[in-house]
Amino acid sequence: MTAMDRRQFVELALGAALCSAGLGCASMVTHRVAPVDGNVRLQLLDHPDLHGAGGSLRVLPDGFEEPVYVLALEDGSYAAVSPICTHRGCTVDVRGPELVCPCHGSTYDRQGTVLEGPAERPLQRFPTRVAEGDVLVIRLET
Ligand code: FES
């Protein structure tokens, strides 16, 4: 088992435990994706986790060490953010309308804006747009 495999296993196990405890979570399945020209393209019909406000999905683009959280917003649009807390680098959890850092309690909204510290900077954001009616395009180069 490689270091990456072990980390992913631990994340999955911890995520499953949090979900079981009713604490909310992002989709526990990490979808590996292959960017093309710096863009990830997700066929929305193929990702029911993103259907409806509050939906979330975790994708791991080829070449990335950390996943990207893809989040369906109340207004029908989507956000894509890094899950890495800007305080000291822990991985935030999706808990309903918020992303919460388990380390020191920083809280972000689903677009990565800080709601409560100690973090002072927003999560890294990746621009998103919907193309061709049902393809969510995430620009990885910001
Ligand atoms: Fe997230 Fe400290 S690392 S609040």
Side-chain angles (χ1 to χ4, degrees):
M1 191 178 275
T2 67
M4 185 63 141
D5 291 337
R6 278 193 295 275
R7 185 174 67 213
Q8 286 179 335
F9 175 79
V10 170
E11 284 180 4
L12 287 171
L14 180 59
L18 291 173
C19 287
S20 298
L23 298 176
C25 55
S27 170
M28 288 301 106
V29 176
T30 299
H31 298 265
R32 288 189 171 271
V33 291
V36 175
D37 296 331
N39 293 314
V40 166
R41 295 171 62 88
L42 299 176
Q43 195 82 40
L44 289 167
L45 285 175
D46 294 340
H47 296 285
D49 289 344
L50 290 176
H51 296 175
S56 58
L57 185 71
R58 188 164 61 184
V59 298
L60 182 63
D62 290 349
F64 273 51
E65 291 190 10
E66 303 294 343
V68 172
Y69 285 176
V70 184
L71 305 155
L73 304 178
E74 289 290 330
D75 66 1
S77 65
Y78 300 90
V81 300
S82 165
I84 305 304
C85 180
T86 60
H87 179 230
R88 292 192 185 161
C90 292
T91 300
V92 301
D93 301 315
V94 177
R95 294 188 191 169
E98 299 177 342
L99 290 83
V100 180
C101 182
C103 292
H104 311 103
S106 288
T107 305
Y108 304 85
D109 70 14
R110 290 172 69 87
Q111 298 185 64
T113 301
V114 176
L115 299 175
E116 188 175 325
E120 296 179 347
R121 293 177 291 115
L123 298 174
Q124 181 182 3
R125 298 172 177 145
F126 302 94
T128 62
R129 65 185 168 86
V130 175
E132 302 150 29
D134 68 342
V135 177
L136 177 61
V137 181
I138 304 166
R139 182 83 187 147
L140 297 176
E141 297 167 3
T142 55

